[in-house]
Amino acid sequence: MASVPSLASSVNQRVADALASALPEAGAADPLLRRSDRADFQANGILALAKKAKANPRELATTVVEAIPTGDLIREIEVSGPGFLNITITDRAILETLAARALDDRLGVPLAENAGTTVIDYAQPNVAKEMHVGHLRSAVIGAAMVEILEFTGEKVVRRHHIGDWGTQFGMLIQYLLEHPHELDHKSDAEVSGEEAMSNLNRLYKASRVLFDSDEEFKTRARARVVDLQAGEPETLALWQRFVDESKIYFYSVFHKLDMDIQDPDVVGESGYNDMLVETCELLEKSGVAVRSNGALCVFFDDVKGPDGNPTPLIVQKSDGGFGYAATDLSAIRDRVGGLNATTLLYVVDARQSLHFRMVFETARRAGWLNDEVKAVQLAFGTVLGKDGKPFKTREGETVRLVDLLDEAVERATAVVREKAEKVGLTEDEIVENGRYVGIGAVKYADLSTSAARDYKFDLDQMVSLNGDTSVYLQYAYARIRSILRKAGDRSPAAHPELELAPAERALGLHLDQFGELLAEAAADHAPHKVAAYLYQLSSLFTTFYTECPVIKPEPELVVGENRLFLCDLTARTLSKGMSLLGIRTPEKL
């Protein structure tokens, strides 16, 4: 594996060295380099330096320019305005850098120097409850962050903090005890997710009706909660049946989402039960939490209720029961102490931001989080319908996630089928590509929006071939693969001696930014930046393909080979970037 320094970092180094020799007293100075529409790059750092050194910025800029060698990397450099530097690099430098990237499986992207261990808490469905559209974002955003961070060299531990504990289990377990065959399977064959969920749904509804109408059943159900919390073996065995049945269903949904979830990664609320008492003792002994009206509470100066009184984080209720805070704080202790995490990343709905702010602050006061170990909430907005209101069915019900995914695949398969004959797809390929395009469309619509924002779920738009959609990117990839097949015996090869057309330069410069973009997306926990980069890459490729003939009319040999090289590197970058978002790139579409 060979990491390849980007053109931007090489130019940055040249300018920084020249700044240091022109103004030695300034020490290491940042040239503030960025892409520019006036040249390839613009350096804006001289203005601030000149101000600090009480020098004339334009004169300083001229001195710096004289100290920068040109020819190999930098073609020309000019002073503009009050002291900006406009820098154009050589075509040779672009092609040589891209050729070095092409030799490496990782496209020359370096591993992060300060990689640590991130525990990502994402995709948290509830046992015995159906997954709905609200569960989509946590799963999709979390899975993308896992891939992006792992690619940059971070050690990632996945955690699915499923809702598998609480008072509702008293009602469910008691009902199952009195109706022992409710979760039985129709046959010994493998059970489908649909069958598992319909069993759970039926049992949930029946037990709820009984709980609400029969006082004696309600009393028995409440006593059963006490048995569950005390770890009574028969009760625990029945509880385990609900968890196992729910997992059959969860895994079937995650499989539809083309997500890989392993059993050891699923550590639900129950996984921290043995730590709850100790967590409370540690908080109380250290004075971080105090008793208030019998409950164990943590108070904050800036968190007040509508009446102006402080609203505490309740770790233990006055009746001795534990709330979410106790579990979340125990999970932090486990992840930091047991898993040696340096970052805890929670992919959780923005509506829970206050809860997590209080939990993180409590953990900091207790010393479980500090400057070396940080916790971050990657908060996401709501999925809206086309009308801009929270997404519901016509009957006003929450939309089932399975229905939504099935419809996306159905729509996408129709789109794939329209073009199938032209590219010679078999029926099996149509079905497979329909799945990849449909699921890709749902993921991309989510990931191309900044997580914090709400987004509209519009399937017509998502499976459209035009605009910022995954189908547009998948078609760009498939089209390049088709071009490479049609090239026959001509093979891709970089020719650094060639002069590049504007569209070739624009594409080449963008290809070179892939590594820097990934580092930024990883640091900011922002998968939408990867989506934006890939969309721009596809757009630049479309312009390049329109303006620079690759196959017809056939360019002269070296030009053709060089253009095929740009095609090939674009396809590889698209494929790698899409896979980091959890989206497949079919070879033919």
Side-chain angles (χ1 to χ4, degrees):
M1 189 199 86
S3 74
V4 178
S6 71
L7 292 161
S9 65
S10 303
V11 170
N12 202 57
Q13 194 57 56
R14 290 273 172 101
V15 180
D17 291 347
L19 274 172
S21 68
L23 258 189
E25 65 274 20
D30 185 354
L32 296 178
L33 194 76
R34 60 179 182 81
R35 287 295 305 277
S36 164
D37 48 7
R38 296 211 165 80
D40 294 332
F41 297 100
Q42 190 174 66
N44 300 339
I46 288 174
L47 297 177
L49 271 180
K51 198 173 173 185
K52 214 161 138 190
K54 299 196 167 46
N56 176 318
R58 227 184 134 82
E59 281 171 20
L60 178 59
T62 309
T63 314
V64 169
V65 167
E66 284 163 5
I68 295 176
T70 55
D72 57 339
L73 171 66
I74 294 172
R75 188 171 79 206
E76 59 180 310
I77 181 164
E78 57 169 28
V79 179
S80 130
F84 301 128
L85 301 184
N86 286 339
I87 302 162
T88 305
I89 54 182
T90 64
D91 291 351
R92 173 175 286 280
I94 294 175
L95 284 168
E96 283 177 347
T97 301
L98 295 183
R101 293 200 178 288
L103 291 174
D104 179 42
D105 283 348
R106 291 176 51 85
L107 304 172
V109 176
L111 293 165
E113 284 170 22
N114 51 352
T117 298
T118 297
V119 175
I120 301 192
D121 188 325
Y122 69 110
Q124 312 100 341
N126 292 313
V127 164
K129 287 193 180 160
E130 197 144 21
M131 290 175 73
H132 54 77
V133 66
H135 290 111
L136 182 65
R137 300 206 73 184
S138 176
V140 169
I141 296 167
M145 278 318 308
V146 167
E147 296 299 329
I148 292 166
L149 287 169
E150 281 190 334
F151 188 69
T152 59
E154 187 80 357
K155 181 186 173 195
V156 176
V157 182
R158 301 153 170 82
R159 277 291 173 266
H160 305 292
H161 190 87
I162 63 171
D164 64 355
W165 204 249
T167 52
Q168 77 277 17
F169 283 100
M171 169 183 95
L172 295 169
I173 292 166
Q174 188 60 36
Y175 188 86
L176 186 59
L177 196 69
E178 296 173 16
H179 304 79
H181 300 296
E182 281 298 302
L183 289 183
D184 290 359
H185 297 143
K186 288 175 194 153
S187 71
D188 293 339
E190 197 178 327
V191 186
S192 71
E194 279 292 318
E195 187 191 330
M197 195 61 237
S198 87
N199 281 347
L200 290 164
N201 260 340
R202 196 178 56 248
L203 193 150
Y204 192 91
K205 284 177 183 156
S207 64
R208 169 55 69 188
V209 167
L210 202 55
F211 187 85
D212 290 342
S213 62
D214 181 336
E215 281 304 317
E216 287 177 4
F217 177 76
K218 188 181 276 191
T219 306
R220 294 197 297 278
R222 286 188 169 146
R224 189 59 57 187
V225 176
V226 178
D227 293 341
L228 177 64
Q229 287 173 339
E232 192 274 314
E234 185 188 22
T235 305
L236 271 184
L238 290 169
W239 166 81
Q240 190 63 50
R241 282 193 68 187
F242 282 100
V243 175
D244 293 343
E245 194 76 6
S246 298
K247 278 186 178 176
I248 296 171
Y249 162 70
F250 295 157
Y251 292 173
S252 74
V253 179
F254 290 129
H255 180 69
K256 253 187 220 283
L257 261 174
D258 201 8
M259 269 174 63
D260 178 36
I261 288 201
Q262 302 293 333
D263 234 23
D265 305 335
V266 180
V267 183
E269 293 168 13
S270 65
Y272 306 100
N273 282 348
D274 295 347
M275 299 175 72
L276 301 178
V277 171
E278 191 184 21
T279 296
C280 290
E281 283 171 359
L282 289 168
L283 291 171
E284 194 166 8
K285 271 185 193 150
S286 61
V288 172
V290 294
R291 292 279 164 191
S292 173
N293 299 328
L296 187 63
C297 302
V298 183
F299 287 93
F300 308 85
D301 294 339
D302 59 342
V303 184
K304 295 187 168 64
D307 56 2
N309 292 327
T311 304
L313 181 71
I314 299 174
V315 186
Q316 190 177 20
K317 301 174 202 160
S318 52
D319 66 3
F322 299 101
Y324 289 128
T327 308
D328 287 333
L329 287 161
S330 299
I332 289 176
R333 284 177 56 212
D334 177 61
R335 291 164 185 185
V336 174
L339 302 172
N340 301 319
T342 46
T343 304
L344 304 177
L345 184 60
Y346 290 78
V347 187
V348 184
D349 190 315
R351 287 171 291 197
Q352 295 185 44
S353 293
L354 177 61
H355 168 77
F356 278 101
R357 205 177 89 208
M358 292 160 84
V359 165
F360 297 162
E361 176 55 30
T362 300
R364 262 191 294 277
R365 291 180 190 176
W368 305 329
L369 296 175
N370 49 44
D371 294 345
E372 275 71 59
V373 186
K374 63 177 195 288
V376 184
Q377 183 192 357
L378 203 178
F380 55 81
T382 309
V383 181
L384 307 173
K386 284 186 194 177
D387 57 2
K389 294 179 180 151
F391 199 16
K392 299 270 195 244
T393 62
R394 288 206 182 104
E395 297 72 44
E397 299 286 314
T398 310
V399 179
R400 295 170 69 217
L401 186 49
V402 172
D403 293 343
L404 200 107
L405 300 177
D406 287 346
E407 191 183 344
V409 170
E410 206 176 295
R411 296 274 190 100
T413 307
V415 171
V416 172
R417 197 176 289 284
E418 273 171 37
K419 303 226 173 199
E421 210 173 304
K422 198 171 157 194
V423 286
L425 294 179
T426 66
E427 183 58 31
D428 284 352
E429 286 172 326
I430 292 171
V431 170
E432 183 177 83
N433 287 357
R435 209 170 71 237
Y436 293 161
V437 171
I439 297 302
V442 170
K443 288 182 177 180
Y444 187 85
D446 191 319
L447 294 169
S448 56
T449 309
S450 161
R453 289 173 51 196
D454 299 343
Y455 83 97
K456 285 185 186 173
F457 196 95
D458 179 350
L459 272 179
D460 294 329
Q461 175 53 36
M462 287 179 190
V463 298
S464 162
L465 304 178
N466 306 312
D468 189 1
T469 64
S470 69
V471 196
Y472 175 68
L473 306 188
Q474 286 168 322
Y475 265 107
Y477 175 79
R479 185 174 175 196
I480 300 172
R481 301 301 301 157
S482 163
I483 293 164
L484 293 168
R485 285 193 295 272
K486 283 179 188 158
D489 52 2
R490 285 183 297 149
S491 53
H495 287 280
E497 72 281 3
L498 288 176
E499 208 174 294
L500 294 175
E504 291 173 309
R505 295 187 97 251
L507 180 62
L509 284 165
H510 192 68
L511 282 167
D512 183 56
Q513 285 181 290
F514 186 51
E516 287 174 341
L517 175 279
L518 286 179
E520 194 182 311
D524 298 346
H525 303 132
H528 72 277
K529 292 188 173 181
V530 179
Y533 170 90
L534 295 172
Y535 176 60
Q536 200 183 344
L537 179 60
S538 301
S539 305
L540 288 167
F541 177 79
T542 303
T543 307
F544 153 79
Y545 190 66
T546 309
E547 293 178 10
C548 305
V550 181
I551 303 287
K552 285 179 185 166
E554 190 174 319
E556 62 177 281
L557 184 65
V558 290
V559 173
E561 286 180 344
N562 199 61
R563 286 178 183 168
L564 283 170
F565 164 75
L566 287 172
C567 287
D568 186 53
L569 191 58
T570 301
R572 286 175 60 193
T573 307
L574 264 176
S575 180
K576 173 46 75 183
M578 295 283 270
S579 79
L580 296 178
L581 298 180
I583 299 171
R584 307 244 184 187
T585 39
E587 295 291 303
K588 285 185 192 169
L589 259 187

